[in-house]
Amino acid sequence: MFWTMIRGAVIRRRSRAAMAIIASLVGAATLFVLIMVCLVVPAQMTEEMRAYGANLVVTSNQTGVTENGIQKDMVEHTTEMMTATGFSQTHATYRYETVRVNSASYQMAGIDSSEVKSMNQFWDVTGQWPTKTNQVLIGTDVAERLSVKIGQSITVGYVDDNSTGTILDTDGTRMQIVGTVSTGGNEDSMLYVTTDTLNKLTGKERGVDAIEYSSQATGDDLTKLVNNINDMRSMNVTAQAVSKISTANASIITMLTTLFWIISIVIVALTLVGVSTTMTSIVSQRRNEIGLRKALGASNRSIAVEFYVESALYGVVGGILGVLAGVGVSEILITTVFDRAVELNVWIMLVCVAAASLIAVVASIIPVHKASQINPAVVLREE
């Protein structure tokens, strides 16, 4: 009998029921899309921020096991500590030496071009990266100062840090300029060669001076990574977060999260108003029916339960339809705007349906209270 009454109430007032369902549909769809976007955007932003360089740098303390630079096994150990946290990362190593070109001192870095290119995608490189012996990539400031262009050669002499500044290789080494780099930073005043080229230039092999990491870890997770590495004093290295990258990333994520909650509150409020208005109208239309049922002995509780169940049904139906609509909208939005694949989460879908149902029930509290206040004697007298 209970479900028969519910079905009859819905069928007789199909237009009102449709309005309540539409209100729940819009709320659930918007909420689902917002959640999907807020899951995708931080990941997208983190990935894009990683293209702007390192957010964690590990440097040699020049003592103990790193007295002669960070050796290969130590690089691998540090990288294992990074990946063990579950955050993906890319890294690049740098060995720095002071060299001379035309009697002027410059800093040269020995690198693995593929590593540095992968991590520093914001570098504006004209020409090629150095991949062969005696190929050099120079900063735009260096190119301007030396008045050289891509394809020309320069003579590079090595300066020992422990010497008085004299060129040890008096003849120098001829290197071909294969490209120029512009970043607006210190990179513009440096020279880059392969590690093998730098080893041959200096006549000695040693470890690297710095490892730069671009990790997905942000905020407290990134701080924890830094602390874990620094707590390993036997490693003789120092880790520090690059604040301009990590802070910007954390700020963007915080801003998006805050925006999500503000919009979600607005959506919940609008859905509450829409469902509450519809239920108030339904109660008003069923005023005579309610009065008659109360005159026949129906309790306020039984009437309230009927309205709450009816509202919950509107919320469930609207929530399901809203989630289905939200799946389509979020897929179009995320693939076209953020260029990412949509990974549907069943739990998010269920949460949105449950939220739509709960909002519908909460929105019915005031209309149901009004229904319980109907005086059957007054209603029957009017009839």
Side-chain angles (χ1 to χ4, degrees), residues 35-79:
I35 293 176
M36 292 300 295
V37 169
C38 283
L39 290 177
V40 169
V41 171
Q44 177 85 357
M45 288 297 179
T46 299
E47 184 175 325
E48 291 183 355
M49 290 298 287
R50 289 177 64 184
Y52 285 88
N55 59 354
L56 190 152
V57 178
V58 177
T59 56
S60 167
N61 291 343
Q62 302 297 324
T63 59
V65 294
T66 65
E67 185 177 1
N68 197 31
I70 305 174
Q71 303 301 321
K72 184 177 179 181
D73 57 345
M74 186 61 70
V75 174
E76 294 176 351
H77 179 59
T78 308
T79 303

Side-chain angles (χ1 to χ4, degrees), residues 287-363:
R287 185 169 179 273
N288 295 338
E289 175 190 333
I290 294 170
L292 179 60
R293 289 179 57 190
K294 293 181 73 172
L296 295 175
S299 64
N300 288 336
R301 181 176 180 277
S302 64
I303 294 174
V305 168
E306 179 183 341
F307 277 107
Y308 284 138
V309 171
E310 184 179 342
S311 298
L313 287 175
Y314 295 151
V316 170
V317 174
I320 293 174
L321 295 176
V323 166
L324 294 177
V327 169
V329 173
S330 61
E331 183 171 357
I332 295 173
L333 180 63
I334 293 172
T335 54
T336 56
V337 177
F338 301 104
D339 194 24
R340 295 179 67 92
V342 179
E343 297 181 3
L344 297 181
N345 189 313
V346 176
W347 288 108
I348 294 178
M349 299 170 74
L350 293 176
V351 167
C352 288
V353 173
S357 179
L358 178 62
I359 292 172
V361 171
V362 172

Side-chain angles (χ1 to χ4, degrees), residues 2-140:
F2 178 81
W3 292 109
T4 301
M5 294 175 61
I6 294 291
R7 185 171 61 253
V10 173
I11 293 175
R12 288 194 301 272
R13 296 169 179 82
R14 291 187 293 272
S15 61
R16 300 295 180 183
M19 291 177 63
I21 291 173
I22 290 173
S24 297
L25 183 155
V26 172
T30 309
L31 188 63
F32 179 83
V33 172
L34 277 175
I35 293 176
M36 292 300 295
V37 169
C38 283
L39 290 177
V40 169
V41 171
Q44 177 85 357
M45 288 297 179
T46 299
E47 184 175 325
E48 291 183 355
M49 290 298 287
R50 289 177 64 184
Y52 285 88
N55 59 354
L56 190 152
V57 178
V58 177
T59 56
S60 167
N61 291 343
Q62 302 297 324
T63 59
V65 294
T66 65
E67 185 177 1
N68 197 31
I70 305 174
Q71 303 301 321
K72 184 177 179 181
D73 57 345
M74 186 61 70
V75 174
E76 294 176 351
H77 179 59
T78 308
T79 303
E80 287 175 359
M81 291 183 65
M82 295 285 294
T83 55
T85 59
F87 296 101
S88 64
Q89 53 80 30
T90 57
H91 72 278
T93 57
Y94 301 82
R95 173 189 170 182
Y96 298 109
E97 297 289 354
T98 300
V99 299
R100 286 206 173 202
V101 182
N102 293 350
S103 300
S105 296
Y106 296 95
Q107 190 171 51
M108 175 175 281
I111 62 171
D112 181 322
S113 294
S114 60
E115 290 180 349
V116 177
K117 180 180 180 181
S118 175
M119 190 173 68
N120 297 296
Q121 298 176 29
F122 73 100
W123 284 18
D124 183 11
V125 174
T126 303
Q128 301 176 355
W129 289 77
T131 56
K132 298 179 181 179
T133 303
N134 295 340
Q135 289 184 340
V136 60
L137 172 72
I138 65 175
T140 52

Side-chain angles (χ1 to χ4, degrees), residues 268-300:
V268 169
L270 292 176
T271 305
L272 279 170
V273 171
V275 176
S276 179
T277 301
T278 303
M279 291 304 298
T280 299
S281 177
I282 291 175
V283 169
S284 178
Q285 289 182 347
R286 297 176 60 182
R287 185 169 179 273
N288 295 338
E289 175 190 333
I290 294 170
L292 179 60
R293 289 179 57 190
K294 293 181 73 172
L296 295 175
S299 64
N300 288 336

Side-chain angles (χ1 to χ4, degrees), residues 75-218:
V75 174
E76 294 176 351
H77 179 59
T78 308
T79 303
E80 287 175 359
M81 291 183 65
M82 295 285 294
T83 55
T85 59
F87 296 101
S88 64
Q89 53 80 30
T90 57
H91 72 278
T93 57
Y94 301 82
R95 173 189 170 182
Y96 298 109
E97 297 289 354
T98 300
V99 299
R100 286 206 173 202
V101 182
N102 293 350
S103 300
S105 296
Y106 296 95
Q107 190 171 51
M108 175 175 281
I111 62 171
D112 181 322
S113 294
S114 60
E115 290 180 349
V116 177
K117 180 180 180 181
S118 175
M119 190 173 68
N120 297 296
Q121 298 176 29
F122 73 100
W123 284 18
D124 183 11
V125 174
T126 303
Q128 301 176 355
W129 289 77
T131 56
K132 298 179 181 179
T133 303
N134 295 340
Q135 289 184 340
V136 60
L137 172 72
I138 65 175
T140 52
D141 290 347
V142 178
E144 183 178 354
R145 190 177 305 171
L146 298 176
S147 298
V148 293
K149 299 179 180 180
I150 296 174
Q152 295 180 341
S153 297
I154 57 175
T155 301
V156 180
Y158 170 57
V159 178
D160 190 345
D161 290 338
N162 297 321
S163 72
T164 59
T166 59
I167 301 176
L168 297 186
D169 185 355
T170 55
D171 295 330
T173 301
R174 296 294 291 178
M175 294 188 183
Q176 182 184 15
I177 302 172
V178 293
T180 59
V181 57
S182 175
T183 67
N186 294 331
E187 294 82 4
D188 296 357
S189 59
M190 292 182 60
L191 298 88
Y192 296 89
V193 296
T194 64
T195 303
D196 288 339
T197 297
L198 191 56
N199 289 339
K200 291 180 180 180
L201 178 67
T202 60
K204 59 183 179 181
E205 295 186 13
R206 67 176 183 84
V208 299
D209 296 300
I211 317 170
E212 292 187 350
Y213 289 96
S214 181
S215 172
Q216 284 188 333
T218 59

